[in-house]
C-alpha cells in the first residue's frame, strides 16, 4: 500500500508541476516540494497534514509563482524527534531557518489550521519578509462559540485528531470534511496503522501546542502588517467559524471570507471559491503595487 500511495503522490506532484527536494537545516532534514517561477508562495500545512496534501490546490499557482511546500519538523518526511518541542514559537524559528537556508528574502505566506497559526505568528515576527498572508481556518484564537471538537475534548477528553484504528480515522474524516470523500478500506487501514505507530509523537505535538497556548495569536494579530486574507468554512467542526471575528477585528489590513457548505479544509470542500478568493487577493496586491 505504501508503494501505491507513493506512486499516487508522484503523479500528483507531476500534475501540479512540483518536485521533491531535501535540505539540512540545523538538526532537521527538511523534505519539501518546489515548482514554478516568480514570486514565492510558501504553503504551511496543518496538523495531521503533510506537504502532498497541497498538490491539487498548489497546481493553480505554479504557472505564475514559485511554490514551496515543506513538511514541518515532526511531520511527513522531515525529521521527527521525541526530544524536540513542536509548539508554534519553536516551529516559527525553524521555518525562518528553513527559508534563510533556501535563500528566500521575502515571500507570500499561506497556512491552514495549525499552519495558519504558525504563518500568522511568523508574519508578526518577521514583517519585512512576508509580502502577504493567506490563512485558512487558522488556529491560535479562542472562538466565541466552541467547536464540536473542542467541546468533546473539554467534556470527554476525546481528541478527534488522534486515531489508532479505522473507526477513529473515519471519525476524523467526518469531523474534517463537510462532505466526506470516499476512502477505500485498504487506505483507511493503512492510515490507521500509521496513526497507531505515530500516536505518541502526534499526541506530544498536540500537548506542546496546548502548553504554549491555544490562544497564542490573541494579542499578536495587531502586529501583522502584511495584507491578509482569511477564509473559513461555516461548517467547520474543528475550529469554529466564529474565530474569524477576532481576525476581522484585530488585523490591520485584513479581509475575512466565510464559505457555506464548507468544513475545515476549505480548499477541498470549496476548491473553486477558495481559489477564486486567493487569486483575487493576489491580483489586488499586484494592482496595488503597480
Amino acid at each position: 500500500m505504501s508503494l501505491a500511495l507513493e506512486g499516487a503522490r508522484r503523479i500528483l506532484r507531476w500534475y501540479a508541476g512540483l518536485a521533491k527536494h531535501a535540505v539540512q537545516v540545523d538538526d532537521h532534514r527538511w523534505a519539501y516540494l518546489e515548482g514554478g517561477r516568480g514570486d514565492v508562495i510558501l504553503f504551511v500545512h496543518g496538523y495531521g497534514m503533510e506537504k502532498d496534501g497541497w498538490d491539487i490546490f498548489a497546481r493553480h499557482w505554479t504557472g505564475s509563482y514559485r511554490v514551496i511546500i515543506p513538511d514541518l519538523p515532526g511531520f511527513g518526511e522531515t525529521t521527527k524527534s521525541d526530544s524536540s518541542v513542536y509548539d508554534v514559537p519553536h516551529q516559527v524559528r525553524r521555518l525562518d531557518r528553513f527559508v534563510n537556508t533556501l535563500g528566500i528574502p521575502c515571500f507570500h505566506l499561506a497556512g491552514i489550521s495549525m499552519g495558519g497559526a504558525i504563518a500568522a505568528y511568523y508574519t508578526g515576527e518577521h514583517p519585512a519578509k512576508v509580502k502577504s498572508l493567506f490563512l485558512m481556518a487558522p488556529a491560535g484564537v479562542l472562538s466565541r462559540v466552541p467547536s464540536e471538537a473542542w467541546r468533546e475534548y473539554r467534556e470527554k477528553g476525546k481528541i478527534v485528531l488522534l486515531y489508532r484504528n479505522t473507526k477513529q480515522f473515519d471519525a476524523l474524516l467526518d469531523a474534517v470534511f463537510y462532505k466526506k470523500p470516499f476512502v477505500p478500506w485498504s487506505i483507511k487501514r493503512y492510515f490507521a496503522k500509521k496513526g497507531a505507530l505515530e500516536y505518541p509523537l502526534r499526541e506530544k505535538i498536540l500537548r506542546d501546542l496546548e502548553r504554549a497556548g491555544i490562544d497564542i495569536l490573541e494579542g499578536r494579530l495587531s502586529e501583522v502588517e502584511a495584507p491578509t486574507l482569511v477564509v473559513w468554512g461555516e461548517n467547520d467542526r474543528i475550529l469554529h467559524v466564529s474565530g474569524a471575528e477576532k481576525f476581522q477585528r484585530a488585523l490591520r489590513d485584513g479581509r475575512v471570507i466565510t464559505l457555506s457548505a464548507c468544513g475545515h479544509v476549505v480548499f477541498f470542500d470549496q476548491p473553486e471559491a477558495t481559489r477564486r478568493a486567493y487569486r483575487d487577493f493576489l491580483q489586488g496586491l499586484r494592482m496595488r503595487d503597480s
Side-chain angles (χ1 to χ4, degrees), residues 30-33 42-45 50-51 54 68-72 78 95 98:
W30 288 66
Y32 65 99
L33 304 179
L42 177 66
F43 288 97
V44 185
H45 64 75
E50 300 175 2
K51 60 186 180 304
W54 289 106
I68 297 175
I69 312 173
D71 277 331
L72 292 170
T78 293
L95 184 63
F98 170 75

Side-chain angles (χ1 to χ4, degrees), residues 151-198:
R151 289 198 307 272
E152 287 188 344
Y153 174 62
R154 251 188 350 190
E155 297 168 8
K156 304 175 185 178
K158 178 181 177 181
I159 304 175
V160 71
L161 298 174
L162 294 173
Y163 53 87
R164 287 191 175 103
N165 53 53
T166 53
K167 182 179 180 181
Q168 292 171 340
F169 179 71
D170 206 49
L172 173 63
L173 296 179
D174 280 325
V176 168
F177 300 105
Y178 177 76
K179 185 177 181 181
K180 183 171 68 175
F182 170 74
V183 179
W185 172 257
S186 58
I187 294 179
K188 288 182 182 180
R189 185 172 57 186
Y190 169 82
F191 280 106
K193 289 181 177 179
K194 185 178 180 183
L197 182 65
E198 297 181 355

Side-chain angles (χ1 to χ4, degrees), residues 17-252:
L18 297 166
K20 188 172 78 168
H21 303 274
V23 64
Q24 187 72 33
V25 184
D26 301 325
D27 56 348
H28 286 82
R29 183 74 171 172
W30 288 66
Y32 65 99
L33 304 179
E34 181 174 355
R37 295 182 178 180
D39 287 350
V40 172
I41 302 178
L42 177 66
F43 288 97
V44 185
H45 64 75
Y47 179 89
M49 186 178 165
E50 300 175 2
K51 60 186 180 304
D52 287 288
W54 289 106
D55 289 346
I56 294 175
F57 185 72
R59 76 178 184 88
H60 297 280
W61 316 108
T62 50
S64 305
Y65 294 88
R66 178 186 172 196
V67 172
I68 297 175
I69 312 173
D71 277 331
L72 292 170
F75 297 88
E77 297 177 280
T78 293
T79 302
K80 302 178 180 70
S81 172
D82 293 337
S83 61
S84 294
V85 178
Y86 293 104
D87 60 21
V88 169
H90 279 82
Q91 294 289 54
V92 164
R93 288 193 286 272
R94 294 186 186 111
L95 184 63
D96 192 50
R97 293 284 296 126
F98 170 75
V99 298
N100 289 343
T101 300
L102 292 188
I104 307 169
C106 57
F107 49 92
H108 301 279
L109 185 55
I112 185 169
S113 194
M114 176 196 73
I118 291 169
Y121 194 105
Y122 184 99
T123 304
E125 292 287 291
H126 305 282
K129 293 185 177 182
V130 181
K131 293 182 176 182
S132 74
L133 181 61
F134 177 32
L135 304 175
M136 289 160 275
V141 300
L142 282 172
S143 58
R144 175 176 52 81
V145 179
S147 70
E148 183 175 325
W150 180 241
R151 289 198 307 272
E152 287 188 344
Y153 174 62
R154 251 188 350 190
E155 297 168 8
K156 304 175 185 178
K158 178 181 177 181
I159 304 175
V160 71
L161 298 174
L162 294 173
Y163 53 87
R164 287 191 175 103
N165 53 53
T166 53
K167 182 179 180 181
Q168 292 171 340
F169 179 71
D170 206 49
L172 173 63
L173 296 179
D174 280 325
V176 168
F177 300 105
Y178 177 76
K179 185 177 181 181
K180 183 171 68 175
F182 170 74
V183 179
W185 172 257
S186 58
I187 294 179
K188 288 182 182 180
R189 185 172 57 186
Y190 169 82
F191 280 106
K193 289 181 177 179
K194 185 178 180 183
L197 182 65
E198 297 181 355
Y199 194 99
L201 177 61
R202 294 183 180 190
E203 184 178 27
K204 170 188 163 41
I205 293 172
L206 286 177
R207 300 302 183 192
D208 286 349
L209 292 166
E210 185 178 28
R211 276 192 292 270
I214 62 171
D215 59 349
I216 196 165
L217 292 183
E218 295 190 21
R220 301 185 66 92
L221 289 176
S222 60
E223 299 174 12
V224 174
E225 300 176 3
T228 303
L229 172 67
V230 180
V231 177
W232 215 307
E234 294 176 3
N235 308 97
D236 193 333
R237 298 169 64 186
I238 302 296
L239 296 171
H240 195 274
V241 66
S242 62
E245 298 166 0
K246 291 188 174 178
F247 289 85
Q248 183 74 75
R249 288 196 298 266
L251 290 170
R252 298 185 188 183

